[in-house]
């Protein structure tokens, strides 16, 4: 990656290299923010599933609340894995550049942990 430091008397190439480095940094950070946003949206679906179960726990047809909750659990899992897929695609396009960001392995592990948590929540909601 080009150096973000400019010499004391920069020429046009030095300035272009610096702007390119900054643009690459912004792109990496935007990709990580987008991944985090997808994860938050998935967790919001899990919270909504819990809320549905809590709100409709006293209804006579608990299967409706459980079904709706499970739909949101499934949506959360799909969101987690869509985030991983989108992040990997963006990183693959940036691999030709010398960039540093969160490792794909770390993002994959986070998606796995959140998926397991969502599945466990779904099972608990079914059993209640």
């Amino acid at each position: 990656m080009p150096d973000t430091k400019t010499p004391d008397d920069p020429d046009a190439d030095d300035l272009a290299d610096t702007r390119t480095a900054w643009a690459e940094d912004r792109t990496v950070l935007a990709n990580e923010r987008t991944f985090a946003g997808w994860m938050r949206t998935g967790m919001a679906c899990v919270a909504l599933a819990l809320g549905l179960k809590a709100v409709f726990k006293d209804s006579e047809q608990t299967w409706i609340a459980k079904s709706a909750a499970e739909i949101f659990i499934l949506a959360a899992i799909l969101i987690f894995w869509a985030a991983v897929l989108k992040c990997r695609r963006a990183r693959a396009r940036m691999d030709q550049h010398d960039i540093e960001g969160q490792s794909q392995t770390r993002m994959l592990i986070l998606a796995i942990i959140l998926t397991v948590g969502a599945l466990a929540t779904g099972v608990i909601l079914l059993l209640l």
Side-chain angles (χ1 to χ4, degrees), residues 10-89:
D11 63 6
D13 288 338
D14 292 330
L15 294 173
D17 286 345
T18 301
R19 284 191 302 273
T20 300
W22 288 340
E24 289 173 353
D25 289 345
R26 285 191 304 272
T27 303
V28 170
L29 292 172
N31 185 41
E32 291 173 0
R33 280 190 307 273
T34 301
F35 179 81
W38 284 72
M39 292 292 117
R40 283 189 302 272
T41 303
M43 291 305 297
C45 285
V46 173
L48 185 58
L50 289 168
L52 283 172
K53 178 67 174 127
V55 168
F56 295 109
K57 69 179 178 182
D58 294 332
S59 70
E60 291 184 18
Q61 281 111 10
T62 58
W63 65 272
I64 295 174
K66 287 182 180 183
S67 298
E70 293 305 317
I71 289 170
F72 282 103
I73 294 293
L74 178 62
I77 292 168
L78 291 174
I79 289 169
F80 296 149
W81 290 99
V84 169
L85 180 64
K86 287 292 210 179
C87 183
R88 283 180 176 244
R89 285 182 182 165

Side-chain angles (χ1 to χ4, degrees), residues 100-122:
E100 292 182 29
Q102 291 291 328
S103 72
Q104 290 187 16
T105 304
R106 184 177 295 165
M107 292 181 181
L108 181 65
I109 290 170
L110 178 61
I112 290 170
I113 290 169
L114 291 177
T115 298
V116 170
L119 286 172
T121 302

